[in-house]
Structure formats: C-alpha cells, structure tokens
Amino acid sequence: MNAEKKDIYQLTKAFAIKITKLYQQLTTVQKEYIMSKQVFRSGTSIGANVFEGKEAQSRADFSSKMSIALKEASETGYWLDLLYSTGYIDTHVFHTLNDDCEHLKAILINIVRATKQ
C-alpha cells in the first residue's frame, strides 16, 4: 500500500471529526438543522467509504469506493460553500474546512486514476 493510500485513511478520519464538531456547533449554537445534517452526512461519508475500501473484494470494488468518496467530498464542498454563503460559518472556518476538503479530493482523484490504470 503506498503512502498516499495510507494517509487518506488518517486524513478522512480527521476531516470527519472536524465535520462532526461543525455539525454540533451548527445545531446547538445556531439551531441550523438542514444544511448541517447534509454536510455531516457527506463529510463523514468520505471516510466511511475510504475505510470500507480497505476491505474491497477487488481492484474494481476499491476503485468504486474511492469514487464514491470523491463524490461525497464534492458534495461536502457544496454544503460548506452554502453554509458560508448564508452566513452560518465564517471565513476562517470555511477556508479551513474547504481547504481540507479540496486536499482530500486531490488525493482521491489520484487514487481513482491510479486504480483505473
């Protein structure tokens, strides 16, 4: 297993923890329940799919899980942008989480490309 694949497991878990804390803050402090649930679901699903890919039955199965994780990362970016655009998260929170999300997407793109070759 190359270092990039190993790192993605740790990075997605760390991102899921940040998203969980954001969800807790949005629901308890700001009483925002719709978008927060969406970003929580997609943001934690990235890591869930990556971790599920560890036990893939084939290269195609692994590639499929990584592709789903990539789609979830893209969706998470959308919800982060919407939360920022509607004033639920500030510039610092948005940029921190969005940068992390973009980094995950870049790694996942490389993994998906490498496994399809």
Side-chain angles (χ1 to χ4, degrees), residues 11-28:
L11 291 171
T12 55
K13 182 179 179 183
F15 186 71
I17 291 167
K18 290 178 183 179
I19 290 293
T20 299
K21 290 179 180 180
L22 173 65
Y23 172 76
Q24 290 169 335
Q25 188 268 333
L26 288 169
T27 56
T28 58

Side-chain angles (χ1 to χ4, degrees), residues 53-88:
K54 287 170 65 172
E55 305 300 326
Q57 296 176 351
S58 66
R59 187 177 184 99
D61 187 29
F62 176 81
S63 182
S64 174
K65 296 299 178 202
M66 296 302 122
S67 294
I68 293 168
L70 176 58
K71 289 178 185 180
E72 294 293 340
S74 294
E75 181 181 341
T76 301
Y78 170 79
W79 291 115
L80 289 170
D81 182 54
L82 196 56
L83 285 163
Y84 175 64
S85 296
T86 55
Y88 282 104

